[in-house]
Amino acid sequence: MKQILKWTAVFLLAISAGGCRRDSDMNNDHMMGGGTVDHSDPDAPKQIASDDLTFFSASFYVYDDYSMRQGSWYSYSLSGEDGKLMLAEDRAYRIRTEADPSLKDDVQHIIEKHKLAKLNGIDKHTAGLPDEFQPCSLSAVYASGEKLYFSFNNEPEAQWAKDLRKLFNRVFTDAGYAETAEDENNYVIDHFSLEFMQEDSMTYRYGMISAENDLVYFYRNVYDRKAGKSLSFEFADMENGLLEQLSEKIEELDLQRLHEDSHSDPDHNQDFLEIHVDYVSSRQIYGEYEADEIPEAWNEGKDSLIAFLDAYLGENRIAESLDELEEMISEAEDEAIREELEHQILQEEYEGWKILDFEKKWEDDGTIAVSAVLGNGTEEKEFHCHLKTRAARGVWSVSDFHPDEE
């Protein structure tokens, strides 16, 4: 993303909240030596009263699958034909399908969400820019007779364009067009971490922590910067669908927007935000901001996201300190070792004996040396072995069990 922003800056394409260039942003009439063409209508209304679309079209270039400067041009249209609502894409896929009338409401929601009516009437672009920065456009006609139109230098990371592509491509996918299906791994989270401080001296951290034998837990830490100490450190397991639910919450809140204009190296002595989300695919959300750079997208979604994370931790909490977590892990491992010892040695010559106690010691080669004390009620005997332990989805097991030679 940093490379994308740097690339954009080279061509002086300052990005507005709408995603493409606004009229007020274009003060240089000779970018790249190509000059500026301006046919804007300054009297075009910036508000549309109607929400009943009768026609819609949009043409734009967006980066595909969250890749670095690799994308496509798309040209979508939505219109009525013989009493049916038809959706077409005439540039990347060249396909069309009948759509449910509710699709018009979904498109209008995106128009209102990104306040695209404020861009009405802008028709201005700079000549000579690379392909992905050529003019994008959007046109909408309403039952009231009102019209919305704009065209200006494209921005490949424009969120309104990404939202439209995602909406339309899902309609095509549901209609059976495999080429528009999105990689499901774009929504499978592999790693999540969040840290922020706002309006107080407390730093809040949420994330995933790896423990012994690759066990992974979800945690929340509240750190008092003034006092220089942690006020709480809590842990929860992740077996009740945390990452699946978190993925849905991120999409619901459009937190991908935090990836669009990320800044790096925030000053942790003042308000800041860091959020990192890695998906199984190449998709990533990577946002780092300080103080007044913290975007509105975070302020809009913060309360809902934190409420979700806190609720999950409250329902699935397993430890309230690092020591308690380590003790819990050790006890679970001990139980697996004891069960394996009972299975391996309390038979044949040791039938009727019991494991009275055992100690374990980790060796440099990754094995565990175990010394067990066996008893049959009248005498005791020591038993020594080496083994390995592993954990999967919170369940411990033992492998490579080898009794030591006496």
Side-chain angles (χ1 to χ4, degrees), residues 8-60:
T8 307
V10 169
F11 298 104
L12 303 180
L13 299 177
I15 304 168
S16 70
C20 289
R21 298 293 306 281
R22 294 178 188 258
D23 185 52
S24 60
D25 291 330
M26 305 191 63
N27 298 319
N28 189 334
D29 287 345
H30 298 285
M31 295 182 185
M32 296 293 290
T36 298
V37 178
D38 188 357
H39 299 293
S40 299
D41 177 7
D43 297 324
K46 305 304 180 184
Q47 292 183 335
I48 303 293
S50 176
D51 60 2
D52 186 3
L53 280 170
T54 59
F55 172 81
F56 177 86
S57 68
S59 177
F60 48 76

Side-chain angles (χ1 to χ4, degrees), residues 211-215 217 325-341 358-363 366-370 387-391 394-399:
E212 296 173 355
N213 288 40
D214 298 325
L215 283 174
Y217 298 95
L325 177 66
E326 292 176 343
E327 182 179 353
M328 182 201 72
I329 292 173
S330 181
E331 289 178 352
E333 184 183 48
D334 286 352
E335 182 62 27
I337 292 175
R338 178 179 290 275
E339 289 180 359
E340 185 69 12
L341 290 174
F358 71 86
E359 295 181 352
K360 60 185 180 182
K361 178 183 178 182
W362 282 267
E363 305 282 29
T367 62
I368 300 175
V370 177
L387 49 80
K388 288 186 177 181
T389 60
R390 63 185 179 89
V395 178
W396 287 85
S397 62
V398 174
S399 62

Side-chain angles (χ1 to χ4, degrees), residues 99-391:
D100 189 275
S102 63
L103 181 58
K104 295 192 297 182
D105 297 331
D106 296 333
V107 173
Q108 181 61 24
H109 172 73
I110 292 175
I111 291 174
E112 295 174 355
K113 169 185 171 182
H114 295 285
K115 300 179 174 60
L116 298 185
K118 291 184 178 180
L119 306 176
N120 195 20
I122 297 177
D123 188 356
K124 187 175 183 179
H125 68 273
T126 302
L129 298 181
D131 183 53
E132 61 263 47
F133 299 108
Q134 292 297 311
C136 63
S137 65
L138 182 146
S139 179
V141 180
Y142 293 85
S144 63
E146 297 171 286
K147 297 180 180 180
L148 167 62
Y149 174 80
F150 60 72
S151 177
F152 37 70
N153 294 341
N154 187 71
E155 164 49 46
E157 291 284 4
Q159 192 60 44
W160 64 265
K162 287 185 175 183
D163 286 353
L164 286 172
R165 182 188 64 171
K166 180 183 294 186
L167 172 64
F168 292 144
N169 282 6
R170 283 179 176 171
V171 174
F172 282 124
T173 300
D174 291 342
Y177 290 99
E179 60 267 43
T180 62
E182 188 171 1
D183 184 354
E184 293 182 358
N185 287 331
N186 278 338
Y187 300 95
V188 180
I189 295 176
D190 184 57
H191 173 77
F192 169 79
S193 66
L194 169 66
E195 183 175 0
F196 65 92
M197 179 174 72
Q198 282 182 266
E199 300 177 354
D200 57 28
S201 65
M202 304 298 178
T203 296
Y204 301 86
R205 300 186 182 98
Y206 296 81
M208 297 161 57
I209 185 171
S210 296
E212 296 173 355
N213 288 40
D214 298 325
L215 283 174
V216 180
Y217 298 95
F218 174 62
Y219 77 89
R220 174 179 62 194
N221 173 238
V222 180
Y223 184 82
D224 188 334
R225 301 187 67 85
K226 289 183 178 179
K229 65 178 181 179
S230 290
L231 300 184
S232 65
F233 210 159
E234 301 165 275
F235 300 88
D237 65 40
M238 300 174 59
E239 303 304 315
N240 291 325
L242 171 62
L243 295 184
E244 293 85 351
Q245 297 172 48
L246 177 59
S247 179
E248 294 176 0
K249 178 61 67 171
I250 287 173
E251 297 306 311
E252 173 192 329
L253 300 176
D254 288 330
L255 293 183
Q256 173 65 27
R257 290 178 291 166
L258 296 174
H259 190 56
E260 306 304 328
D261 56 352
S262 176
H263 296 71
S264 60
D265 300 324
D267 181 359
H268 287 199
N269 292 317
Q270 58 180 321
D271 288 358
F272 71 92
L273 165 65
E274 292 187 11
I275 181 169
H276 299 164
V277 188
D278 294 323
Y279 294 82
V280 172
S281 68
S282 60
R283 183 183 182 190
Q284 183 183 61
I285 298 175
Y286 183 92
E288 295 187 348
Y289 307 89
E290 64 178 45
D292 56 359
E293 293 177 342
I294 296 175
E296 190 60 31
W298 168 249
N299 295 327
E300 292 173 355
K302 171 187 173 182
D303 291 345
S304 181
L305 177 63
I306 298 307
F308 161 75
L309 295 175
D310 287 346
Y312 184 91
L313 189 138
E315 294 170 2
N316 299 277
R317 186 184 292 108
I318 57 175
E320 297 187 4
S321 71
L322 189 57
D323 289 342
E324 185 178 341
L325 177 66
E326 292 176 343
E327 182 179 353
M328 182 201 72
I329 292 173
S330 181
E331 289 178 352
E333 184 183 48
D334 286 352
E335 182 62 27
I337 292 175
R338 178 179 290 275
E339 289 180 359
E340 185 69 12
L341 290 174
E342 291 176 347
H343 172 71
Q344 294 285 353
I345 66 177
L346 297 187
Q347 52 189 337
E348 297 181 0
E349 66 176 298
Y350 293 114
E351 185 177 357
W353 292 61
K354 294 182 179 180
I355 299 172
L356 303 180
D357 192 15
F358 71 86
E359 295 181 352
K360 60 185 180 182
K361 178 183 178 182
W362 282 267
E363 305 282 29
D364 293 338
D365 62 359
T367 62
I368 300 175
V370 177
S371 298
V373 178
L374 311 180
N376 64 0
T378 58
E379 60 178 313
E380 294 183 359
K381 180 179 178 62
E382 287 192 4
F383 180 90
H384 302 278
C385 64
H386 276 74
L387 49 80
K388 288 186 177 181
T389 60
R390 63 185 179 89

Side-chain angles (χ1 to χ4, degrees), residues 35-88:
T36 298
V37 178
D38 188 357
H39 299 293
S40 299
D41 177 7
D43 297 324
K46 305 304 180 184
Q47 292 183 335
I48 303 293
S50 176
D51 60 2
D52 186 3
L53 280 170
T54 59
F55 172 81
F56 177 86
S57 68
S59 177
F60 48 76
Y61 182 109
V62 290
Y63 292 131
D64 295 331
D65 298 327
Y66 308 92
S67 60
M68 192 66 70
R69 292 208 304 270
Q70 295 180 9
S72 303
W73 275 99
Y74 299 89
S75 180
Y76 297 99
S77 63
L78 191 62
S79 60
E81 289 184 23
D82 300 326
K84 300 178 181 178
L85 182 65
M86 301 301 297
L87 172 66

